[in-house]
Amino acid sequence: MAMKLTRFAQLKGHRVFHDFTWPKALCDFAKFNLIYGWNGSGKTTLSNLFRAIERGTSVTEGDVQFTIGGATVRGAEIANHPVLPQVKVFNPDFVKESVFKTGELLNPIFYVGKENIEKQQKLETLKSESNSVTTARGDLQKEATKASKALNDFYASKAKLIKEGLRSAGKHKYHNYERPMFIATADDLLKLDEVARQKKRLTDEQRDEFHAKKDAKQKDPLAKPNLVLPSFEKAVDTVAGLMRRTVVSATITELVDDPLTSEWVKTGLSLHVSAEGHAPRCRFCDQPLSDERVRVLEGHFNDQYEKLLDDLASADAMLADLEKGIDSTDLPGKAALCEHLALGYEVAISRLREESRKVREGAEVLRRAVSHKRAAPFQGIDIAPYLAEIDIPDRTSMEAARSEILKVLEVHNAEASDFEALKGAARQALEEDYVADSLDVLVTLRAAVDALKAQDKELSDKLDALAESARALDVDSTGHELPAKELNAELASYLGRRDLQFEDKGKGYAVTRSGIVAENLSEGEKTAIAFLYFLKSLKDKDFDLANGIVVIDDPISSLDANAIFSAFGFMRERTRGVGQLFVLTHNFTFFRQVKNWLHYMNQDLKQDEHKARMYMLTTCNETGCRTALLEELDPLLRKHDTEYNYLFKRVAAKSKEGRPVNLEDNYGAPNVARRLLESFLSFRFPSKAGKLRRQLEMVNVDAGIRARIIRFVHTYSHDGRVAEPEHDLSVLAETPAVMREILRLIRFEDPEHYKEMTGLIKFDPLAGEAAEGAEDAPATPIESAQPTTLPEPSSIT
């Protein structure tokens, strides 16, 4: 079923249509439609709107809305609208753009040959299969679009993740990390073998370390500390040996058994004995001190004893140093190190300090043991109870902590010396880790896209093969030679001569004159050729006439009366079976032919049924701008075969108006007045037809009035066309007065005719005025109360 355009729902801000909305009282377009309007009323604008549908070109100027097939179609959405009817438009643009471009051929018109029905059926089968493949390919391309979008979204999300994760101070590529960078890195990783790719993956610890590196701030190199580790095991061995040692001598039992007294006596002996000898008396009890007693005491406190005491003193001094712990005073604080090294550094220092605590506490216990041994030099003492109190320092742990500290400082100094390179390496390692983690998903997404592309390529190749087969059949079963022959016969009939011909050039038609490519064609010849070619193209196999819309805009430009009748005949014949037809014209002769044809179509229909409808385009002035309106055809134009009645009605209506608020309201008035006068006076004075001034001179009219009328109609009308004036608009203020003078002229010249006309339009604008020629009338038949004294323009003929 044909999709019909039922109305121009809205035309706002589009060329001459400033604010048009389809009136509620105006009937929708029918199958056949006639639109009458003078030049400048908007016909070309309407035909160009149809051409926009024909070409699938959006209308962006203003707000344009069509009602097609019961749905609203916005002009701005035409290019993307899924379903629109086929349209063919004939108008001046078709003549200029499609037919007569310099050096170009007319597109060939193809018919299906009657003898090739079987081939045509095969062609239809191929087309059906092609449509099925096209549908399948369309569905596949939708899937491919989704798959490509999923892949592109994946690229974008991963690139964004890397950009946000690796953004940090300094100049580097990750500030502007985009999809191409992610794709390049992924492609590089995919070139590696599986083992090499797995090496790009980071552990959580490595990932944390590289994040710390890429966020690190520049640090200064640090001096290497002098970390000396105490030999606690050696101290234990030394003290253990001293604890086991005893003094072999002539011992005095009571001193051996009483270490305190022994220490007291030893101290006293040193006070009584010197290099010169010993004191004769005891300085404590003042008793004589014999040589024998001194000898016995010195035998008790011999060299072994002294040596033991000296060794114990040395051991105590050694242990006193150990009590200070490990010297870590020259170790730098963690704030001086690269941030990512601080944690390991702190752990190593903590371990070192823990072992230092054990050294200090152990040294304290050992010093206590040494003190006990000093008091009992003649007795062996078991060190085990003392060792049981000690948490023995771990030499291995101390050395490991020391090595870790020195290693961290070494790494710090290396990184401080090559800071930016290491940050870049950290970022790259993190990037490759991110990308490597995404490769499995990436490979899956790419495989899906590639598979769909391969399927699409298969379908595309299949479509190409079907198209080639269809083309071969199409060329074999269709031809454009017959349309060329028919066009030549029609052109000869149309023009009444055979010098102009359509010559088949294989890829198109050339228009020739007497066998030579035609140049300098007249406007009438161009119109005839273009119109016949257009009508013939309606039978082209690529246009579905029964469901299409045909628009014909003034096909009679520069044609004589006979050619106008021929144009109408060809149009009527070629549009039989059309889905919908629109004819737009300003030529009244052509309008009358089409009007009678459409009127005949409606004769056998019921009153409320219409196969054909007739409209007219008019203009009015709104806010200083001329704007077009689409209305029902005026009854005077619909019922009568002359435009004269309608022109009389327009002049009569203008004669009743007062001075217009906007002088532009009367733009069309001079043209209407001229056409009415020419029609009336040509009938009255046929010998002077075409010479308006001479005709007016034959009417007994006051010279001033004559000059006023002639100047008015000649200054503001041009060759029967409505056009905007380029002269002093103030003269338009005379419109009502001039219109009344024209009506007085008609009434004076033919009173009976005037009476019939006012009866037809159902009002008399001169009612109440005495008819000229009455007994009390002035000597001159028509006399203005204040005659205009404007000089006659020299252009008046």
Side-chain angles (χ1 to χ4, degrees), residues 262-307:
S262 177
E263 184 69 22
W264 179 74
V265 171
K266 179 180 179 297
T267 302
L269 180 63
S270 65
L271 294 175
H272 289 77
V273 178
S274 65
E276 291 81 13
H278 60 81
R281 301 183 72 82
C282 176
R283 293 177 181 174
F284 180 76
C285 63
D286 198 28
Q287 295 296 320
L289 184 60
S290 65
D291 292 337
E292 179 62 22
R293 184 60 178 171
V294 171
R295 184 185 63 76
V296 171
L297 290 173
E298 286 180 341
H300 181 82
F301 298 108
N302 60 14
D303 291 340
Q304 288 184 356
Y305 180 83
E306 293 298 331
K307 180 68 170 67

Side-chain angles (χ1 to χ4, degrees), residues 51 364 384 531 569 684:
R51 273 175 72 83
E364 183 181 351
F531 190 50
R684 296 293 292 172

Side-chain angles (χ1 to χ4, degrees), residues 555-755:
I556 40 70
S557 175
S558 303
L559 298 181
D560 58 26
N562 289 332
I564 291 175
F565 289 112
S566 294
F568 168 73
F570 277 108
M571 181 190 73
R572 182 176 59 183
E573 180 63 26
R574 294 289 181 266
T575 56
R576 291 182 186 276
V578 70
Q580 191 174 26
L581 175 68
F582 291 84
V583 179
L584 301 91
T585 185
H586 78 286
N587 183 284
F588 191 79
T589 301
F590 187 71
F591 161 77
R592 185 172 63 243
Q593 293 293 318
V594 178
K595 180 192 70 169
N596 291 338
W597 175 44
L598 300 189
H599 179 70
Y600 176 78
M601 285 184 183
N602 289 336
Q603 277 187 344
D604 296 331
L605 299 176
K606 296 180 181 179
Q607 186 173 359
D608 57 347
E609 294 180 352
H610 285 83
K611 189 175 182 180
R613 293 192 184 277
M614 290 171 274
Y615 306 84
M616 66 187 301
L617 283 166
T618 61
T619 58
C620 66
N621 184 274
E622 292 182 358
T623 64
C625 294
R626 186 168 57 87
T627 183
L629 300 172
L630 183 65
E631 302 171 333
E632 184 180 359
L633 186 67
D634 191 285
L636 293 176
L637 291 172
R638 187 176 68 251
K639 295 178 181 179
H640 301 276
D641 284 340
T642 176
E643 193 179 25
Y644 179 82
N645 302 331
Y646 176 67
L647 295 172
F648 188 92
K649 176 183 175 181
R650 291 283 300 272
V651 170
K654 282 292 179 184
S655 71
K656 294 202 316 179
E657 297 177 355
R659 184 182 182 88
V661 176
N662 295 306
L663 297 180
E664 295 87 344
D665 289 342
N666 288 327
Y667 276 165
N671 185 65
V672 173
R674 177 181 180 131
R675 292 169 73 171
L676 178 68
L677 277 174
E678 286 177 337
S679 296
F680 176 74
L681 295 176
S682 292
F683 176 77
R684 296 293 292 172
F685 309 108
S687 63
K688 305 298 181 181
K691 300 178 180 179
L692 184 59
R693 182 183 175 191
R694 299 292 181 262
Q695 290 171 329
L696 283 172
E697 288 176 347
M698 298 184 72
V699 180
N700 193 9
V701 179
D702 180 87
I705 295 175
R706 183 187 301 119
R708 187 179 185 186
I709 291 174
I710 291 179
R711 177 175 180 178
F712 181 80
V713 299
H714 274 270
T715 304
Y716 292 98
S717 64
H718 308 274
D719 301 326
R721 296 183 296 107
V722 174
E724 295 188 7
E726 300 174 355
H727 305 282
D728 184 4
L729 294 178
S730 63
V731 178
L732 289 177
E734 301 177 5
T735 296
V738 173
M739 294 299 193
R740 285 193 294 273
E741 289 169 348
I742 291 172
L743 291 173
R744 293 189 190 105
L745 183 152
I746 293 173
R747 186 176 67 174
F748 170 78
E749 187 65 26
D750 193 337
E752 288 301 320
H753 170 70
Y754 180 84
K755 181 178 179 181

Side-chain angles (χ1 to χ4, degrees), residues 176-248:
N176 299 301
Y177 196 87
E178 300 294 344
R179 289 190 306 171
M181 298 178 183
F182 173 84
I183 294 171
T185 301
D187 289 341
D188 289 342
L189 293 182
L190 288 171
K191 294 174 184 177
L192 303 176
D193 58 40
E194 182 63 26
V195 175
R197 285 203 298 271
Q198 286 301 319
K199 289 182 180 180
K200 297 296 183 179
R201 299 304 314 278
L202 302 177
T203 64
D204 291 341
E205 292 77 10
Q206 289 174 321
R207 203 172 289 115
D208 292 341
E209 177 185 345
F210 284 127
H211 272 295
K213 282 184 178 180
K214 65 98 175 172
D215 292 329
K217 296 180 181 178
Q218 180 75 56
K219 300 288 185 178
D220 294 327
L222 300 173
K224 184 177 180 180
N226 183 25
L227 275 178
V228 179
L229 299 181
S231 179
F232 191 78
E233 294 84 351
K234 181 179 179 182
V236 170
D237 290 343
T238 299
V239 173
L242 291 173
M243 297 293 281
R244 289 192 302 270
R245 281 170 60 182
T246 58
V247 177
V248 180

